Amino acid sequence: MTFNTVSFLVQVGVLILALALLHKPLGVYMTGVFTGTTNARPERLFYRLAGVDADADQKWSIYLRSVLVFSAVSILVVFGLQRLQGVLPGNNGLAGVDPWVAMNTAISFVTNTNWQTYVPEATVGIVVQMCLLAVQNFLSAAVGVVVVLALIRGITRTRTDRLGNFWVDLARTSFRLLLPLAVLAAVTMVLGGVVQNFWATDVVNQATGVQQSIPGGPVASQEAIKILGTNGGGYFNANSAHPFENPSVFISLFQVFLLLLIPSALPYTYGRMVGDQRQGYTIAAVMGTLWLASTVLMGWGVAAAQGSATAAAGGLGEGFEQRFGGAPSAIYAAATTLTSTGAVNVAHDSLPPLAGGTAMLNMMLGEVAPGGTGSGLYGMLILAIIAVFIAGLMVGRTPEFLGKRIGPREMKLAAMYILVTPALVLALTGLTVLVPEQVANAPSSGPHKFSEILYAFTSGANNNGSAFGGITTSGPYLSALLGVAMLLGRFLPIVLVLALAGSLAQQRRIPQSSGTVPTHGWLFGSLLLAVTVILTALSYFPALALGPLAEGLIR
Amino acid sequence: MNTFLGYLRQAGTAVRFLALATLVLGLLYPISVFGLGQVLAPAQANGSILKDPAGHPAASALIAQTSADDQGAQDPKWFHARPSAVKWDPASSSASNLGPNDPNLTKNIEAARKTVAAAEGTDPARVPADAVTASGSGLDPSISVAYARLQVPRVAAAHRLSDGDLLALIQRNTTSGLEAFLGQPSVNVTTLNLDLAAR
């Protein structure tokens, strides 16, 4: 397996070019979707049937309650119908899903994690995939977007306790933004070889005598939103390494483009909505710098091809697909962990140690470069508030962010946000390594055993969903603990963001003065970059040293 | 009490919203994509199925197809695919998920190297990495050009063909141009063996 550096650089360049060309039209389009005031006739019908008062403007607490109630109902429905799979139509002969697995999967898809503790081919039929899991791919992505939308409204609105209408935001994001893009993406994928039918095909090779049942299913439609909504739950167990999910290197590159598309255009929308494009570009520049640095680091980690087993093979190969090779696998592995996607076109467990470590580091950054749909931007805005606070300490002034005072309440909310995921990851990993029976679920030896457990909780609490797949998580203990990590890792930050949005919206706007720290430009961008990296390093470095860094030193 | 009623009312809205969204996103959307796929690209949408000269479906161009015994030893008459963690069974898919320093993986790789070297009658040092490592999906249809060429003498003898004939077949089933540049030159063993059978 080769690592072609020129090809790597060309592909990175193509991605940058494509995203740069599209961020503005998509950003403008999204602004229209989010700020539109009229509803089309089918939307009015939808609201009437759903019992939504489309004109209501919700307080932050009601907005939050809607997020939580909708997500709770979704979890219960996805859990319950998986349990009933045996009596549902379209189950492909599969029985009801094991309760622990069903619970973990329901939480996983509603929290936009899409951690797959189940083996799809042996666990879920067409209807569960299509009507439960793929639907949550849309809705969980949309929830991420509406939360950042509420935060932006909190910044732009003054002296109000209203943040908008959750149901209308959710419907518009799903139907006006995600659905049309998903149709385009899905059709492109079918043209590229991704399957979209509802049956398996029996084939017989008369010459060799081999008989196979070639699987089918609504793969392209699920694949499109899996990537576009930074979800990552594959139709097949091997995810985007499976030839039917990712048939060629062209589709592989297209998938990386798609998963960066919405998160990298949202900063432009943010800039437009706050009325200062420089704000958006500064955020986008920080995201882009981190993405580029991390992708290069991943490329270097893959190309270095460390590891005793890798050396025994004479190079990369284990877990890689021949049609991709080194460069496309590295680009994919970086993008999927920098967003909250977790789709994989190479088995992360078998990646060379420093590449596997980079995947973990990417998630530990909080998935902000450019992050999940919506969640990446709200994560970055929280970091911007922390950066403003630190700058305020340096110049000895009360920090302000876009004309809003960052007082003790706002700062407490932002600080708690930053602490949630490291606390979850480190506490749950620490707890698990103390239980010998659970450590046995990670089959490796040496530091890689620790890496597998650390990766699982990092991925769960950050709602990524990729895995060091050697670990078995279908038992009650890890199903439940990862379920807790996914739930708290998703909804505690959302509670804090919406509380912050509510508190910002109530303030009046402070006029800019000579003492205001500007939140755009090189200086602030560099500060934001430094804050992001330093916070991550301080939180996770010891854990990384015990896992992937130790592995990288093994000869 | 008011809060409780508020929650209840919102739960009702959530259930109705979810049901309606499922109609659109869970049924209308995938069925529309299915319809578009069947019109625009039926071959791809149905799994890139290839037919034999008699017109019967024989394989998917995208999925590994190899004749192997219960121990996983592949039929010496045909070109071999890469090792698979799922024995090339398309009803499942998986990588080995063994770590880069895993002693068991090293053992597997060393054993595979011996097997391949013996099967091809060559020096173990000449066996390329893709021949001894399990793919990410377990269904990888492709191998490196080096591994395909390594297999030529064995397959040529079994089919009474010249090495040159086989090298031409390999060439025909190798990715080229932009595809090979973005990825790497790869030989599709599934289509290669079908071409070989059709001769």
Side-chain angles (χ1 to χ4, degrees), chain A residues 89-123:
Chain A
N91 60 15
N92 298 57
L94 294 163
V97 180
D98 169 82
W100 292 103
V101 172
M103 182 271 304
N104 187 283
T105 305
I107 294 175
S108 168
F109 276 73
V110 172
T111 56
N112 199 252
T113 313
N114 311 72
W115 174 273
Q116 296 182 281
T117 197
Y118 61 101
V119 175
E121 288 95 328
T123 316

PDB file of all heavy atoms in Angstrom, chain A residues 89-123:
ATOM      1  N   PRO A  89     -42.851  -5.104   9.535  1.00  0.00           N
ATOM      2  CA  PRO A  89     -42.546  -5.508   8.154  1.00  0.00           C
ATOM      3  C   PRO A  89     -41.126  -5.065   7.802  1.00  0.00           C
ATOM      4  O   PRO A  89     -40.548  -4.214   8.487  1.00  0.00           O
ATOM      5  CB  PRO A  89     -43.577  -4.728   7.332  1.00  0.00           C
ATOM      6  CG  PRO A  89     -43.929  -3.544   8.173  1.00  0.00           C
ATOM      7  CD  PRO A  89     -43.801  -3.987   9.601  1.00  0.00           C
ATOM      8  N   GLY A  90     -40.588  -5.651   6.760  1.00  0.00           N
ATOM      9  CA  GLY A  90     -39.266  -5.224   6.273  1.00  0.00           C
ATOM     10  C   GLY A  90     -38.146  -5.487   7.256  1.00  0.00           C
ATOM     11  O   GLY A  90     -37.205  -4.718   7.350  1.00  0.00           O
ATOM     12  N   ASN A  91     -38.248  -6.591   8.039  1.00  0.00           N
ATOM     13  CA  ASN A  91     -37.194  -6.863   9.018  1.00  0.00           C
ATOM     14  C   ASN A  91     -36.131  -7.810   8.490  1.00  0.00           C
ATOM     15  O   ASN A  91     -35.221  -8.195   9.218  1.00  0.00           O
ATOM     16  CB  ASN A  91     -37.794  -7.394  10.330  1.00  0.00           C
ATOM     17  CG  ASN A  91     -38.559  -8.691  10.114  1.00  0.00           C
ATOM     18  OD1 ASN A  91     -38.427  -9.343   9.069  1.00  0.00           O
ATOM     19  ND2 ASN A  91     -39.364  -9.071  11.083  1.00  0.00           N
ATOM     20  N   ASN A  92     -36.239  -8.229   7.236  1.00  0.00           N
ATOM     21  CA  ASN A  92     -35.258  -9.152   6.624  1.00  0.00           C
ATOM     22  C   ASN A  92     -35.057 -10.406   7.474  1.00  0.00           C
ATOM     23  O   ASN A  92     -33.947 -10.924   7.568  1.00  0.00           O
ATOM     24  CB  ASN A  92     -33.916  -8.453   6.405  1.00  0.00           C
ATOM     25  CG  ASN A  92     -34.023  -7.284   5.451  1.00  0.00           C
ATOM     26  OD1 ASN A  92     -34.804  -6.369   5.697  1.00  0.00           O
ATOM     27  ND2 ASN A  92     -33.293  -7.323   4.363  1.00  0.00           N
ATOM     28  N   GLY A  93     -36.127 -10.837   8.151  1.00  0.00           N
ATOM     29  CA  GLY A  93     -36.037 -12.057   8.946  1.00  0.00           C
ATOM     30  C   GLY A  93     -35.298 -11.892  10.259  1.00  0.00           C
ATOM     31  O   GLY A  93     -34.984 -12.874  10.929  1.00  0.00           O
ATOM     32  N   LEU A  94     -34.999 -10.637  10.642  1.00  0.00           N
ATOM     33  CA  LEU A  94     -34.257 -10.416  11.874  1.00  0.00           C
ATOM     34  C   LEU A  94     -35.221 -10.184  13.034  1.00  0.00           C
ATOM     35  O   LEU A  94     -36.282  -9.590  12.867  1.00  0.00           O
ATOM     36  CB  LEU A  94     -33.324  -9.215  11.716  1.00  0.00           C
ATOM     37  CG  LEU A  94     -32.196  -9.427  10.706  1.00  0.00           C
ATOM     38  CD1 LEU A  94     -31.585  -8.098  10.300  1.00  0.00           C
ATOM     39  CD2 LEU A  94     -31.133 -10.354  11.281  1.00  0.00           C
ATOM     40  N   ALA A  95     -34.827 -10.646  14.213  1.00  0.00           N
ATOM     41  CA  ALA A  95     -35.689 -10.551  15.391  1.00  0.00           C
ATOM     42  C   ALA A  95     -35.526  -9.193  16.066  1.00  0.00           C
ATOM     43  O   ALA A  95     -34.755  -8.346  15.609  1.00  0.00           O
ATOM     44  CB  ALA A  95     -35.326 -11.671  16.357  1.00  0.00           C
ATOM     45  N   GLY A  96     -36.261  -8.994  17.157  1.00  0.00           N
ATOM     46  CA  GLY A  96     -36.119  -7.779  17.949  1.00  0.00           C
ATOM     47  C   GLY A  96     -34.682  -7.644  18.436  1.00  0.00           C
ATOM     48  O   GLY A  96     -34.009  -8.638  18.708  1.00  0.00           O
ATOM     49  N   VAL A  97     -34.213  -6.390  18.548  1.00  0.00           N
ATOM     50  CA  VAL A  97     -32.812  -6.149  18.905  1.00  0.00           C
ATOM     51  C   VAL A  97     -32.642  -6.318  20.416  1.00  0.00           C
ATOM     52  O   VAL A  97     -33.519  -5.930  21.197  1.00  0.00           O
ATOM     53  CB  VAL A  97     -32.395  -4.732  18.459  1.00  0.00           C
ATOM     54  CG1 VAL A  97     -30.948  -4.449  18.812  1.00  0.00           C
ATOM     55  CG2 VAL A  97     -32.619  -4.571  16.965  1.00  0.00           C
ATOM     56  N   ASP A  98     -31.524  -6.878  20.832  1.00  0.00           N
ATOM     57  CA  ASP A  98     -31.162  -7.020  22.245  1.00  0.00           C
ATOM     58  C   ASP A  98     -31.359  -5.682  22.982  1.00  0.00           C
ATOM     59  O   ASP A  98     -30.995  -4.630  22.453  1.00  0.00           O
ATOM     60  CB  ASP A  98     -29.688  -7.468  22.320  1.00  0.00           C
ATOM     61  CG  ASP A  98     -29.130  -7.388  23.725  1.00  0.00           C
ATOM     62  OD1 ASP A  98     -29.371  -8.321  24.477  1.00  0.00           O
ATOM     63  OD2 ASP A  98     -28.458  -6.381  24.052  1.00  0.00           O
ATOM     64  N   PRO A  99     -31.941  -5.713  24.200  1.00  0.00           N
ATOM     65  CA  PRO A  99     -32.284  -4.432  24.853  1.00  0.00           C
ATOM     66  C   PRO A  99     -31.090  -3.497  25.067  1.00  0.00           C
ATOM     67  O   PRO A  99     -31.227  -2.280  24.876  1.00  0.00           O
ATOM     68  CB  PRO A  99     -32.904  -4.861  26.187  1.00  0.00           C
ATOM     69  CG  PRO A  99     -32.646  -6.316  26.328  1.00  0.00           C
ATOM     70  CD  PRO A  99     -32.421  -6.873  24.963  1.00  0.00           C
ATOM     71  N   TRP A 100     -29.946  -4.035  25.468  1.00  0.00           N
ATOM     72  CA  TRP A 100     -28.802  -3.141  25.704  1.00  0.00           C
ATOM     73  C   TRP A 100     -28.325  -2.521  24.399  1.00  0.00           C
ATOM     74  O   TRP A 100     -28.003  -1.333  24.337  1.00  0.00           O
ATOM     75  CB  TRP A 100     -27.649  -3.917  26.356  1.00  0.00           C
ATOM     76  CG  TRP A 100     -27.975  -4.338  27.747  1.00  0.00           C
ATOM     77  CD1 TRP A 100     -28.330  -5.585  28.170  1.00  0.00           C
ATOM     78  CD2 TRP A 100     -28.044  -3.492  28.908  1.00  0.00           C
ATOM     79  NE1 TRP A 100     -28.596  -5.570  29.514  1.00  0.00           N
ATOM     80  CE2 TRP A 100     -28.417  -4.304  29.999  1.00  0.00           C
ATOM     81  CE3 TRP A 100     -27.808  -2.129  29.125  1.00  0.00           C
ATOM     82  CZ2 TRP A 100     -28.577  -3.799  31.288  1.00  0.00           C
ATOM     83  CZ3 TRP A 100     -27.955  -1.634  30.402  1.00  0.00           C
ATOM     84  CH2 TRP A 100     -28.338  -2.460  31.470  1.00  0.00           C
ATOM     85  N   VAL A 101     -28.284  -3.355  23.370  1.00  0.00           N
ATOM     86  CA  VAL A 101     -27.832  -2.861  22.071  1.00  0.00           C
ATOM     87  C   VAL A 101     -28.830  -1.839  21.532  1.00  0.00           C
ATOM     88  O   VAL A 101     -28.451  -0.785  21.005  1.00  0.00           O
ATOM     89  CB  VAL A 101     -27.647  -4.043  21.091  1.00  0.00           C
ATOM     90  CG1 VAL A 101     -27.378  -3.539  19.685  1.00  0.00           C
ATOM     91  CG2 VAL A 101     -26.511  -4.941  21.562  1.00  0.00           C
ATOM     92  N   ALA A 102     -30.135  -2.137  21.696  1.00  0.00           N
ATOM     93  CA  ALA A 102     -31.167  -1.222  21.197  1.00  0.00           C
ATOM     94  C   ALA A 102     -31.095   0.120  21.921  1.00  0.00           C
ATOM     95  O   ALA A 102     -31.224   1.189  21.305  1.00  0.00           O
ATOM     96  CB  ALA A 102     -32.548  -1.845  21.369  1.00  0.00           C
ATOM     97  N   MET A 103     -30.859   0.066  23.232  1.00  0.00           N
ATOM     98  CA  MET A 103     -30.762   1.299  24.019  1.00  0.00           C
ATOM     99  C   MET A 103     -29.554   2.116  23.560  1.00  0.00           C
ATOM    100  O   MET A 103     -29.660   3.308  23.280  1.00  0.00           O
ATOM    101  CB  MET A 103     -30.640   0.912  25.500  1.00  0.00           C
ATOM    102  CG  MET A 103     -30.574   2.047  26.495  1.00  0.00           C
ATOM    103  SD  MET A 103     -28.907   2.644  26.835  1.00  0.00           S
ATOM    104  CE  MET A 103     -28.067   1.166  27.370  1.00  0.00           C
ATOM    105  N   ASN A 104     -28.425   1.437  23.456  1.00  0.00           N
ATOM    106  CA  ASN A 104     -27.204   2.122  23.031  1.00  0.00           C
ATOM    107  C   ASN A 104     -27.380   2.735  21.639  1.00  0.00           C
ATOM    108  O   ASN A 104     -26.988   3.880  21.393  1.00  0.00           O
ATOM    109  CB  ASN A 104     -26.045   1.117  23.048  1.00  0.00           C
ATOM    110  CG  ASN A 104     -24.710   1.775  22.779  1.00  0.00           C
ATOM    111  OD1 ASN A 104     -24.406   2.096  21.646  1.00  0.00           O
ATOM    112  ND2 ASN A 104     -23.914   1.989  23.823  1.00  0.00           N
ATOM    113  N   THR A 105     -28.003   1.978  20.735  1.00  0.00           N
ATOM    114  CA  THR A 105     -28.180   2.454  19.365  1.00  0.00           C
ATOM    115  C   THR A 105     -29.136   3.635  19.304  1.00  0.00           C
ATOM    116  O   THR A 105     -28.907   4.594  18.564  1.00  0.00           O
ATOM    117  CB  THR A 105     -28.684   1.296  18.481  1.00  0.00           C
ATOM    118  OG1 THR A 105     -27.779   0.198  18.614  1.00  0.00           O
ATOM    119  CG2 THR A 105     -28.783   1.713  17.031  1.00  0.00           C
ATOM    120  N   ALA A 106     -30.221   3.562  20.089  1.00  0.00           N
ATOM    121  CA  ALA A 106     -31.181   4.672  20.090  1.00  0.00           C
ATOM    122  C   ALA A 106     -30.501   5.957  20.550  1.00  0.00           C
ATOM    123  O   ALA A 106     -30.612   7.008  19.902  1.00  0.00           O
ATOM    124  CB  ALA A 106     -32.368   4.331  20.997  1.00  0.00           C
ATOM    125  N   ILE A 107     -29.778   5.871  21.660  1.00  0.00           N
ATOM    126  CA  ILE A 107     -29.062   7.058  22.164  1.00  0.00           C
ATOM    127  C   ILE A 107     -28.043   7.523  21.124  1.00  0.00           C
ATOM    128  O   ILE A 107     -27.914   8.710  20.823  1.00  0.00           O
ATOM    129  CB  ILE A 107     -28.360   6.737  23.499  1.00  0.00           C
ATOM    130  CG1 ILE A 107     -29.394   6.461  24.581  1.00  0.00           C
ATOM    131  CG2 ILE A 107     -27.433   7.868  23.905  1.00  0.00           C
ATOM    132  CD1 ILE A 107     -28.801   6.022  25.904  1.00  0.00           C
ATOM    133  N   SER A 108     -27.343   6.552  20.553  1.00  0.00           N
ATOM    134  CA  SER A 108     -26.270   6.846  19.626  1.00  0.00           C
ATOM    135  C   SER A 108     -26.753   7.636  18.410  1.00  0.00           C
ATOM    136  O   SER A 108     -26.114   8.595  17.980  1.00  0.00           O
ATOM    137  CB  SER A 108     -25.659   5.506  19.208  1.00  0.00           C
ATOM    138  OG  SER A 108     -24.807   5.645  18.137  1.00  0.00           O
ATOM    139  N   PHE A 109     -27.912   7.245  17.856  1.00  0.00           N
ATOM    140  CA  PHE A 109     -28.386   7.933  16.645  1.00  0.00           C
ATOM    141  C   PHE A 109     -29.070   9.253  16.969  1.00  0.00           C
ATOM    142  O   PHE A 109     -28.988  10.206  16.191  1.00  0.00           O
ATOM    143  CB  PHE A 109     -29.281   7.011  15.814  1.00  0.00           C
ATOM    144  CG  PHE A 109     -28.477   6.112  14.903  1.00  0.00           C
ATOM    145  CD1 PHE A 109     -27.748   5.050  15.411  1.00  0.00           C
ATOM    146  CD2 PHE A 109     -28.383   6.372  13.540  1.00  0.00           C
ATOM    147  CE1 PHE A 109     -26.961   4.253  14.591  1.00  0.00           C
ATOM    148  CE2 PHE A 109     -27.593   5.579  12.709  1.00  0.00           C
ATOM    149  CZ  PHE A 109     -26.883   4.520  13.233  1.00  0.00           C
ATOM    150  N   VAL A 110     -29.730   9.347  18.127  1.00  0.00           N
ATOM    151  CA  VAL A 110     -30.399  10.605  18.474  1.00  0.00           C
ATOM    152  C   VAL A 110     -29.378  11.667  18.887  1.00  0.00           C
ATOM    153  O   VAL A 110     -29.600  12.857  18.693  1.00  0.00           O
ATOM    154  CB  VAL A 110     -31.455  10.361  19.579  1.00  0.00           C
ATOM    155  CG1 VAL A 110     -32.026  11.673  20.083  1.00  0.00           C
ATOM    156  CG2 VAL A 110     -32.567   9.462  19.048  1.00  0.00           C
ATOM    157  N   THR A 111     -28.234  11.239  19.428  1.00  0.00           N
ATOM    158  CA  THR A 111     -27.224  12.213  19.850  1.00  0.00           C
ATOM    159  C   THR A 111     -26.246  12.559  18.728  1.00  0.00           C
ATOM    160  O   THR A 111     -25.240  13.222  18.986  1.00  0.00           O
ATOM    161  CB  THR A 111     -26.402  11.685  21.041  1.00  0.00           C
ATOM    162  OG1 THR A 111     -25.822  10.431  20.674  1.00  0.00           O
ATOM    163  CG2 THR A 111     -27.270  11.492  22.260  1.00  0.00           C
ATOM    164  N   ASN A 112     -26.529  12.102  17.495  1.00  0.00           N
ATOM    165  CA  ASN A 112     -25.640  12.387  16.361  1.00  0.00           C
ATOM    166  C   ASN A 112     -24.279  11.705  16.523  1.00  0.00           C
ATOM    167  O   ASN A 112     -23.289  12.083  15.910  1.00  0.00           O
ATOM    168  CB  ASN A 112     -25.458  13.904  16.168  1.00  0.00           C
ATOM    169  CG  ASN A 112     -24.943  14.260  14.778  1.00  0.00           C
ATOM    170  OD1 ASN A 112     -23.809  14.653  14.594  1.00  0.00           O
ATOM    171  ND2 ASN A 112     -25.774  14.084  13.780  1.00  0.00           N
ATOM    172  N   THR A 113     -24.224  10.675  17.398  1.00  0.00           N
ATOM    173  CA  THR A 113     -22.958   9.960  17.577  1.00  0.00           C
ATOM    174  C   THR A 113     -22.817   8.878  16.515  1.00  0.00           C
ATOM    175  O   THR A 113     -21.813   8.799  15.814  1.00  0.00           O
ATOM    176  CB  THR A 113     -22.905   9.310  18.975  1.00  0.00           C
ATOM    177  OG1 THR A 113     -23.297  10.250  19.943  1.00  0.00           O
ATOM    178  CG2 THR A 113     -21.517   8.788  19.265  1.00  0.00           C
ATOM    179  N   ASN A 114     -23.833   8.025  16.447  1.00  0.00           N
ATOM    180  CA  ASN A 114     -23.842   6.906  15.516  1.00  0.00           C
ATOM    181  C   ASN A 114     -22.726   5.922  15.773  1.00  0.00           C
ATOM    182  O   ASN A 114     -22.146   5.342  14.873  1.00  0.00           O
ATOM    183  CB  ASN A 114     -23.834   7.401  14.062  1.00  0.00           C
ATOM    184  CG  ASN A 114     -24.885   8.458  13.851  1.00  0.00           C
ATOM    185  OD1 ASN A 114     -24.730   9.578  14.326  1.00  0.00           O
ATOM    186  ND2 ASN A 114     -25.957   8.111  13.203  1.00  0.00           N
ATOM    187  N   TRP A 115     -22.406   5.769  17.055  1.00  0.00           N
ATOM    188  CA  TRP A 115     -21.568   4.660  17.502  1.00  0.00           C
ATOM    189  C   TRP A 115     -22.325   3.384  17.171  1.00  0.00           C
ATOM    190  O   TRP A 115     -23.537   3.312  17.410  1.00  0.00           O
ATOM    191  CB  TRP A 115     -21.356   4.779  19.008  1.00  0.00           C
ATOM    192  CG  TRP A 115     -20.644   3.630  19.613  1.00  0.00           C
ATOM    193  CD1 TRP A 115     -21.211   2.478  20.074  1.00  0.00           C
ATOM    194  CD2 TRP A 115     -19.236   3.515  19.840  1.00  0.00           C
ATOM    195  NE1 TRP A 115     -20.242   1.659  20.573  1.00  0.00           N
ATOM    196  CE2 TRP A 115     -19.019   2.263  20.448  1.00  0.00           C
ATOM    197  CE3 TRP A 115     -18.146   4.346  19.591  1.00  0.00           C
ATOM    198  CZ2 TRP A 115     -17.742   1.814  20.805  1.00  0.00           C
ATOM    199  CZ3 TRP A 115     -16.889   3.910  19.946  1.00  0.00           C
ATOM    200  CH2 TRP A 115     -16.685   2.662  20.550  1.00  0.00           C
ATOM    201  N   GLN A 116     -21.658   2.405  16.591  1.00  0.00           N
ATOM    202  CA  GLN A 116     -22.374   1.199  16.197  1.00  0.00           C
ATOM    203  C   GLN A 116     -21.924   0.015  17.028  1.00  0.00           C
ATOM    204  O   GLN A 116     -20.927  -0.633  16.719  1.00  0.00           O
ATOM    205  CB  GLN A 116     -22.194   0.944  14.705  1.00  0.00           C
ATOM    206  CG  GLN A 116     -22.823   2.064  13.883  1.00  0.00           C
ATOM    207  CD  GLN A 116     -22.713   1.838  12.394  1.00  0.00           C
ATOM    208  OE1 GLN A 116     -21.677   2.068  11.816  1.00  0.00           O
ATOM    209  NE2 GLN A 116     -23.798   1.363  11.790  1.00  0.00           N
ATOM    210  N   THR A 117     -22.673  -0.247  18.072  1.00  0.00           N
ATOM    211  CA  THR A 117     -22.355  -1.392  18.909  1.00  0.00           C
ATOM    212  C   THR A 117     -22.932  -2.657  18.283  1.00  0.00           C
ATOM    213  O   THR A 117     -22.609  -3.759  18.660  1.00  0.00           O
ATOM    214  CB  THR A 117     -22.880  -1.153  20.341  1.00  0.00           C
ATOM    215  OG1 THR A 117     -22.239  -2.050  21.211  1.00  0.00           O
ATOM    216  CG2 THR A 117     -24.370  -1.320  20.433  1.00  0.00           C
ATOM    217  N   TYR A 118     -23.816  -2.450  17.290  1.00  0.00           N
ATOM    218  CA  TYR A 118     -24.460  -3.577  16.611  1.00  0.00           C
ATOM    219  C   TYR A 118     -23.741  -3.861  15.295  1.00  0.00           C
ATOM    220  O   TYR A 118     -23.093  -2.981  14.727  1.00  0.00           O
ATOM    221  CB  TYR A 118     -25.930  -3.248  16.335  1.00  0.00           C
ATOM    222  CG  TYR A 118     -26.108  -2.040  15.446  1.00  0.00           C
ATOM    223  CD1 TYR A 118     -26.404  -2.189  14.092  1.00  0.00           C
ATOM    224  CD2 TYR A 118     -25.955  -0.752  15.941  1.00  0.00           C
ATOM    225  CE1 TYR A 118     -26.536  -1.079  13.270  1.00  0.00           C
ATOM    226  CE2 TYR A 118     -26.079   0.354  15.132  1.00  0.00           C
ATOM    227  CZ  TYR A 118     -26.365   0.187  13.792  1.00  0.00           C
ATOM    228  OH  TYR A 118     -26.473   1.277  12.973  1.00  0.00           O
ATOM    229  N   VAL A 119     -23.902  -5.090  14.809  1.00  0.00           N
ATOM    230  CA  VAL A 119     -23.420  -5.438  13.472  1.00  0.00           C
ATOM    231  C   VAL A 119     -24.631  -5.321  12.542  1.00  0.00           C
ATOM    232  O   VAL A 119     -25.539  -6.135  12.617  1.00  0.00           O
ATOM    233  CB  VAL A 119     -22.860  -6.864  13.439  1.00  0.00           C
ATOM    234  CG1 VAL A 119     -22.483  -7.266  12.026  1.00  0.00           C
ATOM    235  CG2 VAL A 119     -21.660  -6.975  14.369  1.00  0.00           C
ATOM    236  N   PRO A 120     -24.682  -4.278  11.686  1.00  0.00           N
ATOM    237  CA  PRO A 120     -25.917  -4.017  10.938  1.00  0.00           C
ATOM    238  C   PRO A 120     -26.437  -5.240  10.173  1.00  0.00           C
ATOM    239  O   PRO A 120     -27.635  -5.541  10.229  1.00  0.00           O
ATOM    240  CB  PRO A 120     -25.522  -2.901   9.966  1.00  0.00           C
ATOM    241  CG  PRO A 120     -24.338  -2.256  10.584  1.00  0.00           C
ATOM    242  CD  PRO A 120     -23.631  -3.303  11.383  1.00  0.00           C
ATOM    243  N   GLU A 121     -25.532  -5.935   9.475  1.00  0.00           N
ATOM    244  CA  GLU A 121     -25.977  -7.046   8.622  1.00  0.00           C
ATOM    245  C   GLU A 121     -26.732  -8.100   9.408  1.00  0.00           C
ATOM    246  O   GLU A 121     -27.605  -8.777   8.869  1.00  0.00           O
ATOM    247  CB  GLU A 121     -24.776  -7.712   7.940  1.00  0.00           C
ATOM    248  CG  GLU A 121     -24.113  -6.896   6.838  1.00  0.00           C
ATOM    249  CD  GLU A 121     -22.913  -6.101   7.337  1.00  0.00           C
ATOM    250  OE1 GLU A 121     -22.926  -5.672   8.515  1.00  0.00           O
ATOM    251  OE2 GLU A 121     -21.965  -5.886   6.560  1.00  0.00           O
ATOM    252  N   ALA A 122     -26.389  -8.250  10.693  1.00  0.00           N
ATOM    253  CA  ALA A 122     -26.976  -9.332  11.480  1.00  0.00           C
ATOM    254  C   ALA A 122     -27.997  -8.826  12.487  1.00  0.00           C
ATOM    255  O   ALA A 122     -28.539  -9.599  13.266  1.00  0.00           O
ATOM    256  CB  ALA A 122     -25.861 -10.087  12.210  1.00  0.00           C
ATOM    257  N   THR A 123     -28.251  -7.502  12.512  1.00  0.00           N
ATOM    258  CA  THR A 123     -29.069  -6.956  13.591  1.00  0.00           C
ATOM    259  C   THR A 123     -30.284  -6.174  13.109  1.00  0.00           C
ATOM    260  O   THR A 123     -31.370  -6.292  13.676  1.00  0.00           O
ATOM    261  CB  THR A 123     -28.215  -6.024  14.489  1.00  0.00           C
ATOM    262  OG1 THR A 123     -26.961  -6.646  14.738  1.00  0.00           O
ATOM    263  CG2 THR A 123     -28.923  -5.754  15.807  1.00  0.00           C
TER     264      THR A 123
END
